[in-house]
Amino acid sequence: MNPAEDPAAGTGTGRDAIVRAARRAFTLRPYAEVTMRGIAADAGVSPSLIVKRFGSKEELFDAVTDFRAAADALLGAEPADLGRHLVLTTLRLREDLQGDPLLRVVFSLGIEDERTRLRDRFREQVTARIAGLLPGPEAELRAELIAGLLLGLGATLSLHRPDGATPRTSPERLADLYAPALQRLVDAPGRVAPPSA
């Protein structure tokens, strides 16, 4: 992916500060209330730099609500190692991006059209890609549950920061505890027969 396609690219050019500020703005306020001037002030850049880098507010919204780069990183492991990789990569991306790469899909405000577009993009770029990697039956269901567990991890880390046990725990230990639940869904567990009477 070239820097023009990756909204997280461009450290040192102001692009990364713009992306972080725009993500915060579009997550915390409805689209209609977000202004380029407000994003520029939060990012510490001029509004003209945002226009130069992204064009319009709609193009900026599209860039920061694109989950492809995060999905590429999250899904960069073989199915046998995917559970642990998902946890460790989520933690690394949270640190690198100074925010959760997926959680904005849950907390984004705005009119129904914007929320629908964001959810559809998440399903296409994240959940459907997870389903495509999964062996065995019920891949779509398992992919949705995996996405839910990743969102739950992000929500837990956000809820309990900065002084909770979760943010103070090493990434390796969090992976030890959390990855088995993800891996079980990746590995296509068989249905358990109900106990006989």
Side-chain angles (χ1 to χ4, degrees):
M1 179 175 285
N2 70 44
E5 295 172 326
D6 182 359
T11 301
T13 64
R15 186 179 177 92
D16 54 337
I18 293 167
V19 167
R20 282 194 304 272
R23 282 183 177 145
R24 279 191 297 273
F26 289 124
T27 298
L28 298 174
R29 293 189 298 281
Y31 179 89
E33 293 178 13
V34 174
T35 65
M36 299 284 258
R37 189 173 302 282
I39 291 170
D42 188 26
V45 301
S46 68
S48 62
L49 181 61
I50 297 178
V51 173
K52 179 181 176 184
R53 298 268 188 233
F54 294 95
S56 67
K57 182 169 97 169
E58 183 175 356
E59 290 171 305
L60 179 58
F61 177 82
D62 285 341
V64 301
T65 60
D66 190 328
F67 298 99
R68 286 178 295 187
D72 288 345
L74 287 165
L75 302 176
E78 294 298 316
D81 303 312
L82 191 57
R84 188 170 192 84
H85 177 81
L86 286 167
V87 174
L88 294 174
T89 304
T90 296
L91 298 172
R92 181 181 55 79
L93 288 174
R94 284 178 62 87
E95 185 173 325
D96 292 351
L97 300 174
Q98 297 180 4
D100 194 282
L102 304 179
L103 204 54
R104 63 189 180 273
V105 74
V106 177
F107 295 111
S108 182
L109 301 174
I111 61 172
E112 187 60 30
D113 286 348
E114 294 144 18
R115 290 194 309 265
T116 298
R117 185 163 69 176
L118 190 60
R119 285 193 305 264
D120 288 348
R121 187 171 278 184
F122 183 89
R123 287 183 189 124
E124 172 191 328
Q125 294 177 353
V126 179
T127 311
R129 284 189 59 193
I130 294 171
L133 292 176
L134 300 180
E138 301 179 308
E140 185 178 350
L141 171 62
R142 289 162 41 227
E144 290 176 6
L145 294 172
I146 289 167
L149 284 173
L150 290 175
L151 293 170
L153 176 60
T156 297
L157 291 166
S158 295
L159 180 66
H160 296 288
R161 77 171 180 229
D163 56 354
T166 318
R168 290 193 321 262
T169 304
S170 75
E172 292 296 327
R173 182 61 181 144
L174 287 175
D176 290 344
L177 293 169
Y178 208 80
L182 288 162
Q183 193 62 47
R184 181 160 188 247
L185 289 167
V186 170
D187 291 339
R191 288 198 172 124
V192 176
S196 54

